[in-house]
Structure formats: structure tokens, C-alpha cells
């Protein structure tokens, strides 16, 4: 009989375990060869010749704490999302959110340098998987928005906003946290952009999720939604203005209401499927835990005899 640790690790998907090996491997390389950080991390002043940094930076965790958080987040959130999306779509989501987040971080760093003329915005190594993790939280929000998480006693739909607000609060007291704050913000928004407009659904001919309950402002309390809607609409026009015609052909609107031609019924079905999958997984884990406890009691009873 395998150890409890090995049994738990076997529950995670092969793709997630493979990505964890990449995170750990790159971390070891960067620790053993510090100069390699220049080639893997996103350094805005060097991105033009080293364009691959827009992809590799996400897999570079510079601290052991960041590596632990990214590993656990990838394994546990991937265990929920990958079986529902499928391995191919799960990997496409990671690639898209990773690349788009890195592009936004790069543009932001150049803009901040242009405004402040502080060279640290150009030469600070930016990296980490937390942008993709933020996108995963959006995926969980989409799948099971009203599911109350065990022990935390909060609904899944509040996870992205709580993560962002907590990260912003921490950034006021720890300046080094600003290096990952932009990744979290853009990772959340790009995760939503992908799921809202681009994710292909095998069960229908449509892309994305036009459900009004999945508007970006619904991640936040009602008193913040008018402000979020204003900021999100301006950001979308500046960043994605060229793609609005394409998005319109899919039958979606930028706001919370879908246009004719969209299919909110399919979105509702996906949410129900996600809720059922989560409930089945939690029930299975409860049965496994109960079985292990029963085995332990039987072993203890045998030993006592």
C-alpha cells in the first residue's frame, strides 16, 4: 500500500505534474546559474532582442515561497479545471494568459519608465506563474460561482476580487510585492478576456461565455461595479480595440448583456457541469478519507487484540 503522500500526488493530472517539473527545474537552474535569469525572466529593456521572455518568464520563480505557492496552486486548481476543460484547452488557456499577461506587463513597465524616468522599471526582472494562477481563479469563478468553499466559507465568485484587493493592500507595506502585482491584475483580466470571448466550446459553435453573470464587474461588490465597468471598458478599447469587430461577429457585447446570436444556455450548462464535477470530487475525497479512517480503526483494533 502506497504512502498517503504518494496517493495524494497521484490524484493530480499528468499535465499539471509535468508543468510543476518545469517550474522546479527552471527554479533550480536560476539558483545554480544566476546569470540565466537574464535569458528567462522578463526584463523590459532586453525584451526586444530576447522576445522569448514573454513566454518563459511565467515559468521562472525567483523565490522558494513563490515556487511553493505556484506548485500548490497549479496542482489543486488544475485538478478541478483540466478534467472539465480538457487537457488541450487547459494548456491553451495557460499559454494565452501567460503570453497576454507578459505583453501587458511589458507595456506597463515601458509606460511607467516614460512617466517617471526611473530605470528600475526597465531592468527589474519580472517573472512568476501567479498571473496564470489568477486566471485559474477566474475559471473557478466561471464554473462554480455560487459554490461555497470548504473551511473558507466564501463563495468562489469572490476569489479573484479578494486576491486582487489583498495583493494591493500588501503592496503598500512591502514594496517588493509590486513586482508581482501587475501580473496578478493582468492575469485576472486576461483570464476573463479569454474565457469571455475566445475559449472554444466543443458542445456548440460559439466561443466564450456571454452570460451576464460573468461580466468582469460581477467579480466585485456592487458599489464598485460602476467604477470597474468604466475602467474595464476603457482598457478594452485601448488594448483590444482592433479585435472588437471580431468579437462582435461572435455575437457578444462588451458589457454585461449578450447580443443576439450568443448562447447563454450553453454557458449555464457548463456552470452546472462544473458544479456537479466539484461536488462529485468533494464527495469522492470524503469517501476516501472515511475509508482510510475505517482502515486505521481496523488496524488499531487488530493490534489491540
Amino acid at each position: 500500500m502506497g504512502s498517503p503522500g504518494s496517493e495524494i500526488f497521484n490524484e493530480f493530472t499528468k499535465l499539471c505534474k509535468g508543468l510543476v517539473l518545469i517550474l522546479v527545474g527552471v527554479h533550480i537552474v536560476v539558483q545554480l546559474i544566476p546569470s540565466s535569469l537574464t535569458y528567462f525572466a522578463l526584463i523590459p529593456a532586453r525584451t526586444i532582442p530576447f522576445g522569448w521572455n514573454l513566454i518563459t518568464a511565467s515559468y521562472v520563480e525567483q523565490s522558494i515561497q513563490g515556487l511553493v505557492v505556484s506548485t500548490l496552486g497549479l496542482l489543486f486548481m488544475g485538478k478541478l479545471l483540466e478534467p472539465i476543460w480538457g487537457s488541450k484547452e487547459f494548456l491553451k488557456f495557460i499559454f494565452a494568459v501567460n503570453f497576454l499577461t507578459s505583453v501587458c506587463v511589458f507595456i506597463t513597465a515601458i509606460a511607467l519608465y516614460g512617466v517617471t524616468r526611473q530605470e528600475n522599471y526597465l531592468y527589474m526582472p519580472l517573472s512568476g506563474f501567479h498571473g496564470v494562477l489568477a486566471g485559474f481563479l477566474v475559471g473557478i469563478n466561471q464554473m462554480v460561482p455560487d459554490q461555497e468553499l470548504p473551511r473558507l466559507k466564501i463563495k468562489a465568485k469572490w476569489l479573484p476580487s479578494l486576491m486582487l484587493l489583498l495583493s494591493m493592500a500588501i503592496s503598500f507595506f512591502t514594496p517588493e510585492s509590486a513586482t508581482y502585482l501587475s501580473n496578478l491584475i493582468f492575469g485576472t483580466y486576461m483570464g476573463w478576456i479569454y474565457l469571455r470571448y475566445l475559449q472554444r466550446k466543443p458542445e456548440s459553435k460559439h466561443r466564450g461565455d456571454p452570460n451576464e453573470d460573468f461580466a468582469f464587474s460581477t467579480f466585485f461588490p456592487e458599489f464598485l461595479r460602476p467604477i470597474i465597468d468604466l475602467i474595464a471598458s476603457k482598457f478594452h478599447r485601448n488594448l483590444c480595440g482592433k479585435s472588437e469587430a471580431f468579437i462582435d461577429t461572435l455575437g457578444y457585447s462588451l458589457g454585461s448583456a449578450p447580443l443576439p446570436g450568443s448562447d447563454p444556455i450553453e454557458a449555464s450548462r457548463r456552470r452546472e457541469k462544473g458544479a456537479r464535477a466539484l461536488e462529485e470530487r468533494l464527495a469522492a475525497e470524503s469517501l476516501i478519507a472515511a475509508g482510510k479512517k475505517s482502515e486505521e480503526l481496523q488496524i488499531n483494533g487488530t493490534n489491540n487484540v
Side-chain angles (χ1 to χ4, degrees), residues 24-85:
V24 173
V26 174
H27 176 76
I28 293 174
V29 170
V30 169
Q31 297 302 312
L32 295 178
I33 312 174
S35 60
S36 64
L37 185 64
T38 303
Y39 298 94
F40 289 121
L42 175 61
I43 302 177
R46 300 174 179 175
T47 298
I48 299 303
F50 299 159
W52 61 83
N53 294 165
L54 296 172
I55 297 175
T56 60
S58 177
Y59 302 99
V60 180
E61 289 294 351
Q62 300 181 44
S63 66
I64 188 64
Q65 298 93 329
L67 179 63
V68 171
V69 171
S70 294
T71 296
L72 294 178
L74 172 59
L75 289 175
F76 283 98
M77 286 191 279
K79 185 173 71 169
L80 173 62
L81 295 173
E82 186 184 344
I84 298 173
W85 289 349

Side-chain angles (χ1 to χ4, degrees), residues 37-249:
L37 185 64
T38 303
Y39 298 94
F40 289 121
L42 175 61
I43 302 177
R46 300 174 179 175
T47 298
I48 299 303
F50 299 159
W52 61 83
N53 294 165
L54 296 172
I55 297 175
T56 60
S58 177
Y59 302 99
V60 180
E61 289 294 351
Q62 300 181 44
S63 66
I64 188 64
Q65 298 93 329
L67 179 63
V68 171
V69 171
S70 294
T71 296
L72 294 178
L74 172 59
L75 289 175
F76 283 98
M77 286 191 279
K79 185 173 71 169
L80 173 62
L81 295 173
E82 186 184 344
I84 298 173
W85 289 349
S87 298
K88 183 178 180 181
E89 183 59 38
F90 183 73
L91 192 60
K92 284 171 59 178
F93 177 86
I94 292 175
F95 179 84
V97 173
N98 171 25
F99 178 74
L100 293 174
T101 298
S102 295
V103 170
C104 291
V105 170
F106 170 75
I107 294 173
T108 300
I110 297 298
L112 288 173
Y113 169 74
V115 173
T116 64
R117 293 297 173 180
Q118 296 183 19
E119 293 190 352
N120 62 307
Y121 288 117
L122 294 180
Y123 294 99
M124 179 184 298
L126 304 171
S127 64
F129 201 71
H130 30 274
V132 176
L133 296 182
F136 285 164
L137 291 180
V138 178
I140 294 174
N141 178 330
Q142 180 196 39
M143 289 293 179
V144 286
D146 296 320
Q147 180 72 41
E148 191 174 83
L149 301 180
R151 299 180 183 178
L152 297 179
K153 301 300 181 183
I154 58 174
K155 291 185 177 181
K157 67 180 180 180
W158 301 121
L159 289 178
S161 59
L162 286 175
M163 178 270 298
L164 289 177
L165 294 175
L166 181 61
S167 300
M168 290 178 184
I170 293 175
S171 67
F172 286 107
F173 302 99
T174 54
E176 61 272 12
S177 64
T179 59
Y180 62 77
L181 182 59
S182 58
N183 269 29
L184 293 175
I185 294 173
F186 289 123
T188 300
Y189 193 67
M190 291 304 142
W192 177 78
I193 286 286
Y194 183 86
L195 295 174
R196 179 71 162 177
Y197 300 120
L198 303 176
Q199 187 181 52
R200 183 181 295 277
K201 300 180 182 179
E203 67 270 18
S204 71
K205 297 180 181 180
H206 299 290
R207 289 175 179 264
D209 183 352
N211 196 312
E212 61 180 6
D213 293 332
F214 192 55
F216 189 70
S217 59
T218 60
F219 296 2
F220 301 88
E222 289 191 13
F223 71 93
L224 289 176
R225 291 179 185 178
I227 301 174
I228 299 298
D229 276 331
L230 180 63
I231 296 174
S233 62
K234 289 185 176 180
F235 183 86
H236 180 88
R237 283 196 297 268
N238 292 333
L239 183 67
C240 310
K242 294 181 180 180
S243 64
E244 285 185 359
F246 168 72
I247 292 172
D248 288 340
T249 63

